[in-house]
Amino acid sequence: MGLALTVAAATFLMAVIWGSPLIELMRRLRLGKNIRIDGPQTHAAKMGTPAMGGVLIVGWTVLVTVVANFVQFVQALEIAESVVIPLGVLVAYSILGGIDDYQGFRLRPGEGMRARVKLAVQLVIALAAAVLLYWMVNDRHGWVAVPTVPELVDIGLLYIPLAVILITGSANAVNLTDGLDGLAGLISATAFVAYGIIAFLQDQQFLVVFSFIVIGATFGFLWYNAKPAQMFMGDVGAQALGGALGIMALMTNQWLIFPIIIAIPVATELSTTLQVLYFKATGGKRLFKMAPLHHHFELIGWSETQIVQRWWLIAMLAAMIGIALALI
């Protein structure tokens, strides 16, 4: 844990130092946010804010993780004892998110990659990760921890489709949560703290270090994402964090409690799904004033700061409940 906290602090400092140059570079490249015209009017002032800040999180996570685990990578330790899978998923989803962001700036302004194409690629990445987890490290994975049950439960090949759903759903849930200044970063960092603690209790030191590196990088990003945000995370960061969180849940075998630990992203994704289904079923009526859920609360009078702080309080409570369930 001492190493994890040290590298987290170092990652935070490096991210803060390089945040300003990144913002300037994104401005020069005109990688600015397009704001939904049907969204809350208070968001109009955010138009043009640099919107691929997730590069800061992913870039420093990759760099520090490789440096911190260099000897292990060189010695080619078993993949179960390394961070190859979570790091690979983080990078893969980041590349996909970066392409989505870029298309939203240049090719399909305000829209980005076509939903069915993005989902197909997400599923392929998740499937590759699930197969690696099941067949290459089956001595520790392919199992699930059930609260109050002392032994892990082997669910066989059912593990693979469930893992694919979990990883893909997590990536999209965190991505949808990225709608207010500081929201996705705070929620994601809180969930990584929870799984970092769980990994520590399981003596999975590589996962502990990886988790806290991500936390340090995310805190560095939040330095510039606090309201009023100087840059936004974008899909390049949100999808990456969500996908990596899914891997953390699977590698600790504590994925039944995952919906609790990421309660806010789950509620956010659920609100969007319900909005779409209700709209189609009723011929145009809306269940919420606007989806995702945080925009609904904006439109009923909550300030952006109130929503972010209250959602973060809920996220911390959910993380504590999740850790408690993992200890049962």
Side-chain angles (χ1 to χ4, degrees), residues 69-86:
N69 296 278
F70 180 74
V71 174
Q72 285 74 24
F73 285 139
V74 171
Q75 292 177 345
L77 293 181
E78 289 184 13
I79 201 167
E81 297 176 344
S82 74
V83 292
V84 173
I85 295 179

Side-chain angles (χ1 to χ4, degrees), residues 133-192:
L133 283 173
Y134 186 78
W135 265 293
M136 297 188 69
V137 289
N138 198 32
D139 59 323
R140 286 168 55 182
H141 304 288
W143 307 76
V144 58
V146 180
T148 73
V149 177
E151 301 294 332
L152 294 177
V153 178
D154 184 1
I155 60 173
L157 286 174
L158 183 60
Y159 175 88
I160 293 178
L162 290 177
V164 169
I165 293 171
L166 185 144
I167 297 168
T168 306
S170 178
N172 285 308
V174 174
N175 193 30
L176 286 171
T177 307
D178 184 29
L180 301 178
D181 295 354
L183 182 59
L186 286 170
I187 300 302
S188 298
T190 302
F192 270 104

Side-chain angles (χ1 to χ4, degrees), residues 8 42 47 54 74 96 136 164 166 193 196 204 214 220 247 275 281 289:
T42 54
M47 179 71 75
V74 171
L96 174 61
M136 297 188 69
V164 169
L166 185 144
V193 169
Q204 294 201 58
V214 174
I247 293 295
Q275 182 84 321
K289 288 183 177 295

Side-chain angles (χ1 to χ4, degrees), residues 21 88 103 134 150 262 267:
Q103 289 190 5
Y134 186 78
I262 62 162

Side-chain angles (χ1 to χ4, degrees), residues 17-96:
I17 290 170
W18 287 96
S20 291
L22 176 62
I23 292 171
E24 182 59 30
L25 176 62
M26 287 191 289
R27 284 174 177 163
R28 289 178 180 273
L29 295 175
R30 294 182 297 170
L31 301 176
K33 178 71 173 178
N34 291 301
I35 303 299
R36 291 169 55 180
I37 59 175
D38 60 338
Q41 294 303 308
T42 54
H43 287 218
K46 301 182 181 185
M47 179 71 75
T49 302
M52 291 183 70
V55 170
L56 190 69
I57 300 173
V58 176
W60 281 107
T61 296
V62 172
L63 179 60
V64 177
T65 300
V66 170
V67 171
N69 296 278
F70 180 74
V71 174
Q72 285 74 24
F73 285 139
V74 171
Q75 292 177 345
L77 293 181
E78 289 184 13
I79 201 167
E81 297 176 344
S82 74
V83 292
V84 173
I85 295 179
L87 193 64
V89 168
L90 182 88
V91 172
Y93 274 113
S94 181
I95 292 172
L96 174 61

Side-chain angles (χ1 to χ4, degrees), residues 103-266:
Q103 289 190 5
F105 299 141
R106 297 286 188 270
L107 304 181
R108 290 166 52 82
E111 297 183 22
M113 187 180 296
R114 295 186 184 279
R116 62 178 179 273
V117 176
K118 179 165 63 174
L119 179 60
V121 179
Q122 288 176 332
L123 290 172
V124 169
I125 296 171
L127 178 61
V131 169
L132 284 173
L133 283 173
Y134 186 78
W135 265 293
M136 297 188 69
V137 289
N138 198 32
D139 59 323
R140 286 168 55 182
H141 304 288
W143 307 76
V144 58
V146 180
T148 73
V149 177
E151 301 294 332
L152 294 177
V153 178
D154 184 1
I155 60 173
L157 286 174
L158 183 60
Y159 175 88
I160 293 178
L162 290 177
V164 169
I165 293 171
L166 185 144
I167 297 168
T168 306
S170 178
N172 285 308
V174 174
N175 193 30
L176 286 171
T177 307
D178 184 29
L180 301 178
D181 295 354
L183 182 59
L186 286 170
I187 300 302
S188 298
T190 302
F192 270 104
V193 169
Y195 274 107
I197 293 172
I198 291 171
F200 175 74
L201 294 173
Q202 297 177 351
D203 199 30
Q204 294 201 58
Q205 295 303 319
F206 292 98
L207 281 185
V208 176
V209 173
F210 173 78
S211 181
F212 278 87
I213 289 172
V214 174
I215 293 165
T218 304
F219 281 180
F221 163 78
L222 285 168
W223 185 271
Y224 298 98
N225 187 236
K227 184 176 176 62
Q230 296 171 262
M231 64 176 166
F232 299 140
M233 185 181 294
D235 283 34
V236 68
Q239 287 195 48
L241 289 176
L245 269 173
I247 293 295
M248 289 289 296
L250 291 165
M251 292 190 75
T252 58
N253 296 311
Q254 292 287 353
W255 47 273
L256 272 188
I257 62 174
F258 189 56
I260 296 174
I261 290 178
I262 62 162
I264 292 298
V266 168

